[in-house]
Amino acid sequence: MMRARIRAGDPAAFRELFGEHAQAIYRHAVRATGDWSAAEDVVSLTFLEAWRLRGRLDPEGDGLAPWLFGIATNVLRNTSRAARRHRAALSRLPAGAEVPDFADEIAGRADDAARIGAAHAALARLGDTDREIIMLCVWAGLDYASTAEALGIPVGTVRSRLSRARTRLRELSATLQEESR
């Protein structure tokens, strides 16, 4: 009766099957792999395959444990084969090829993002012309003459406004840092 229900795709029957046999399959997988996490994967794959192959289940027979253990054995073979292939692929990599640690780079990017955010906040408090001069001279790296040409103002004006804007920016940055604490 249970076999017929499983073959028919009855979810309640499959839940019952899982409840009765999952622990036994798990213990078998732990013994075979020596790894609890891998054993959990084997159990999941075993019952997934059992669901997929339910139509092939012989309607006659006693108990379902042999059928499940057969599926589990095949899953263990496949996972073992995949692990061997993975190790073989890794062994073909050039010697000394190390994966760099990106933690410092990511932390640096986060710091950069915070600094850029603080700079934008301080720049937002400057006047339009001062902000444009800072962005062109400091961020874009234009010289005084190029900045003057870009903004259509005299070079002397660029110099004086840049000096004033830098002073104001330092004051704003200090104020913003104090506010953020």
Side-chain angles (χ1 to χ4, degrees):
M1 178 72 173
M2 177 74 148
R3 284 175 175 256
R5 289 175 52 211
I6 288 172
R7 279 180 58 98
D10 180 0
F14 214 77
R15 268 193 304 276
E16 191 176 321
L17 176 72
F18 184 85
E20 289 177 14
H21 297 285
Q23 283 299 317
I25 299 295
Y26 177 75
R27 285 190 300 271
H28 173 67
V30 167
R31 287 190 293 271
T33 63
D35 182 342
W36 295 340
S37 180
E40 289 174 355
D41 291 341
V42 168
V43 171
S44 296
L45 290 170
T46 297
F47 282 93
L48 183 65
E49 273 299 288
W51 178 258
R52 191 178 71 78
L53 298 172
R54 70 188 182 277
R56 296 183 189 172
L57 178 61
D58 184 4
E60 305 297 320
D62 295 329
L64 293 163
W67 178 63
L68 285 173
F69 276 96
I71 293 171
T73 299
N74 287 332
V75 167
L76 285 162
R77 281 185 199 138
N78 291 340
T79 56
S80 176
R81 187 179 311 116
R84 275 194 314 274
R85 287 178 181 159
H86 181 73
R87 285 190 302 272
L90 289 177
S91 72
R92 290 190 298 269
L93 290 176
E98 292 184 21
V99 176
D101 183 6
F102 294 106
D104 292 337
E105 182 181 339
I106 290 170
R109 286 182 186 178
D111 290 343
D112 290 346
R115 279 190 225 113
I116 289 172
H120 275 286
L123 279 173
R125 294 186 181 184
L126 292 177
D128 290 343
T129 307
D130 290 347
R131 182 174 45 253
E132 290 166 351
I133 288 174
I134 287 283
M135 291 173 65
L136 290 172
C137 288
V138 178
W139 286 7
L142 295 182
D143 60 17
Y144 296 137
S146 298
T147 301
E149 184 179 338
L151 296 177
I153 57 176
V155 173
T157 304
V158 170
R159 289 177 195 234
S160 64
R161 286 187 179 169
L162 181 60
S163 175
R164 185 182 65 221
R166 282 182 171 157
T167 301
R168 179 75 178 125
L169 204 53
R170 276 191 289 276
E171 292 168 358
L172 288 170
S173 294
T175 303
L176 289 173
Q177 285 179 354
E178 288 178 21
E179 290 175 2
S180 67
R181 290 181 192 163

